Amino acid sequence: NWKAQVQLAPLPEIVSQWKERLQGGHPHLAQLIAPPKTQSDRQDEVLHLARIARGLTLLMEGTTYDVAMGLYRNPSDWKDRDLADVQVDDHVQVEQHEQSQDMRTWLHTRGLTKFGLDEIETFLPLGLSAKDSEALLYDVAQQLMVKAKNPKVGEHIAFGREGRQVEVVRHRTDPFYGSPLPLREIRVA
């Protein structure tokens, strides 16, 4: 029962809005829209939409823009995967931004919202390597995609073979990208 709406000729207002937002010189625009789904169907729906987007990108030799990830994909960027092989980094990316006023680095995911989940974030003092924190965010994002539900503040999330845990310490909304981004802050427990 997977469905997706594909608009190969969106309304002119939508085209101009996206062209301005994406600042691209593409002469044509198509839009993929998923109907509202239950949380349990969300991962399958995202994979279905990704396959359609990949097909259109390859067929039209164009560029895909993943709104939730804020990421462009050209035909050469797509990877062949088995339907059972869901890789978190195909759908979620980790971004980092220095917050010099607070003397810290903000790391957060982008892409979990397409699975109906809040993004996750953590903070590091400026100057520290973010490599381990990025890996941590990917591991926790993978676990949240499997559970398919947002954790509550105070909840512990276990992941990995070593039984590592993080605690959700805060829930907030941030307007960094021009629209509200729901976030759950995590810290190693």
Side-chain angles (χ1 to χ4, degrees):
N1 294 330
W2 298 341
K3 295 180 181 178
Q5 182 180 0
V6 179
Q7 294 179 345
L8 295 175
L11 296 172
E13 312 80 72
I14 293 172
V15 172
S16 65
Q17 176 188 22
W18 278 105
K19 281 187 176 188
E20 181 180 319
R21 181 175 175 186
L22 300 176
Q23 299 174 354
H26 298 291
H28 302 286
L29 178 81
Q31 189 175 24
L32 297 176
I33 303 168
K37 283 293 196 183
T38 64
Q39 194 63 32
S40 62
D41 293 340
R42 188 72 69 138
Q43 186 166 310
D44 290 338
E45 188 71 35
V46 169
L47 293 175
H48 178 63
L49 281 173
R51 291 226 171 220
I52 294 171
R54 178 181 188 257
L56 286 172
T57 303
L58 296 173
L59 182 66
M60 306 292 199
E61 297 180 356
T63 301
T64 300
Y65 179 70
D66 185 323
V67 176
M69 288 178 71
L71 183 72
Y72 292 92
R73 286 204 171 121
N74 294 311
S76 62
D77 297 328
W78 292 92
K79 301 170 191 150
D80 288 326
R81 298 232 192 265
D82 185 76
L83 281 174
D85 186 20
V86 179
Q87 299 289 321
V88 68
D89 58 346
D90 285 345
H91 304 283
V92 176
Q93 71 173 346
V94 173
E95 293 192 2
Q96 72 179 57
H97 306 277
E98 287 189 4
Q99 296 179 330
S100 53
Q101 72 278 10
D102 296 327
M103 297 299 293
R104 63 185 186 175
T105 302
W106 174 40
L107 290 98
H108 65 91
T109 59
R110 283 189 73 187
L112 284 174
T113 54
K114 65 183 159 187
F115 293 95
L117 301 167
D118 292 349
E119 302 297 343
I120 51 176
E121 68 179 345
T122 194
F123 298 90
L124 291 175
L126 278 180
L128 292 181
S129 171
K131 185 177 179 182
D132 290 341
S133 294
E134 285 181 15
L136 173 76
L137 288 174
Y138 279 120
D139 288 343
V140 173
Q142 178 73 44
Q143 188 64 24
L144 292 177
M145 286 169 55
V146 169
K147 287 185 175 184
K149 72 177 190 105
N150 279 315
K152 296 178 182 169
V153 172
E155 186 175 332
H156 286 78
I157 303 166
F159 61 93
R161 293 177 216 179
E162 305 86 32
R164 295 180 64 193
Q165 286 193 6
V166 295
E167 180 182 4
V168 179
V169 295
R170 178 173 67 147
H171 177 259
R172 70 185 186 96
T173 303
D174 192 289
F176 185 79
Y177 295 101
S179 61
L181 182 68
L183 295 155
R184 306 228 174 208
E185 183 181 348
I186 60 169
R187 290 189 191 144
V188 176

